[in-house]
Amino acid sequence: TMGLVDFQGGMQDALRQIVDDDTWSDPLRRNALKDAASECDGDLWAAIDWLTRSGDDEFLRLARELTSAAYGPARLLFPHRRADGTVVEAEHADLLGSQVVVLTMQGMQFPAPGSSRKHWDSIERSSALAMRLAAFLARRLIEVRPRRERKALIVDEASWLANWEYGASWIASFVR
């Protein structure tokens, strides 16, 4: 799991990708999610807790929707949480200092190329977001290494990335 959301576009984008279009297009719900994002410093569980503490029925519905995603299709984005609510810390140490990193994300189901986001289901939305996070992490892992050091990047599902605006520019940045 990635734990804290720290990628281009930020937490609002993560929440936008997790919820369906009807939820995001409603101004009250969208603003609630934006407020949760701004209050929670990249921690998706903290966003759920913030929505729950509000006591507002609509905010509670959003918290339930996000919690359902956290234990379902978006589980890669949420660190494991114990029954008492504490988050389990990652067992690996400094990922950015690693020589070899392999990201395996089984069960991904990507939306059809060119399809409208409003037709994506929760698994497709979560898969697209997880791929975006993986792309950001790959870029970060390469950028932190010294420029003179050789690096290799192997991507499966590059065809899906190429059909996505962010993915196409991401691929182009490595090809130069």
Side-chain angles (χ1 to χ4, degrees):
T1 47
M2 305 245 175
L4 298 181
V5 175
D6 178 25
F7 68 101
Q8 201 171 35
M11 188 162 164
Q12 280 186 29
D13 190 41
L15 294 172
R16 163 75 177 101
Q17 295 294 326
I18 293 169
V19 300
D20 62 35
D21 272 7
D22 290 338
T23 297
W24 190 257
S25 63
D26 179 273
L28 174 70
R29 295 176 189 165
R30 182 177 55 248
N31 288 335
L33 291 168
K34 286 180 176 183
D35 289 347
S38 67
E39 293 290 325
C40 298
D41 196 30
D43 183 342
L44 292 167
W45 283 114
I48 291 172
D49 293 341
W50 185 87
L51 290 165
T52 302
R53 281 192 309 272
S54 75
D56 181 89
D57 288 342
E58 194 58 39
F59 285 24
L60 291 170
R61 190 194 71 70
L62 288 170
R64 283 191 301 273
E65 183 177 345
L66 292 172
T67 300
S68 177
Y71 289 108
R75 67 187 171 278
L76 289 171
L77 309 176
F78 290 83
H80 180 70
R81 200 173 205 192
R82 295 185 182 100
D84 67 2
T86 59
V87 174
V88 177
E89 295 297 323
E91 294 179 10
H92 52 72
D94 181 20
L95 179 64
L96 295 178
S98 300
Q99 294 295 318
V100 176
V101 176
V102 177
L103 298 177
T104 303
M105 300 184 293
Q106 297 175 340
M108 301 295 243
Q109 190 174 15
F110 297 107
S115 63
S116 172
R117 189 183 179 288
K118 69 181 178 180
H119 299 297
W120 297 0
D121 64 21
S122 61
I123 293 173
E124 291 169 328
R125 284 192 311 273
S126 297
S127 295
L129 180 57
M131 185 60 92
R132 183 171 177 167
L133 286 168
F136 175 79
L137 177 61
R139 172 178 293 294
R140 181 81 176 109
L141 290 171
I142 289 171
E143 288 174 348
V144 299
R145 308 300 298 179
R147 187 174 186 94
R148 70 183 183 293
E149 195 173 290
R150 289 185 183 192
K151 303 155 193 102
L153 175 65
I154 302 168
V155 180
D156 192 13
E157 301 298 342
S159 61
W160 185 82
L161 278 171
N163 289 319
W164 173 43
E165 181 183 336
Y166 177 79
S169 64
W170 180 83
I171 290 170
S173 72
F174 288 110
V175 175
R176 46 185 163 109

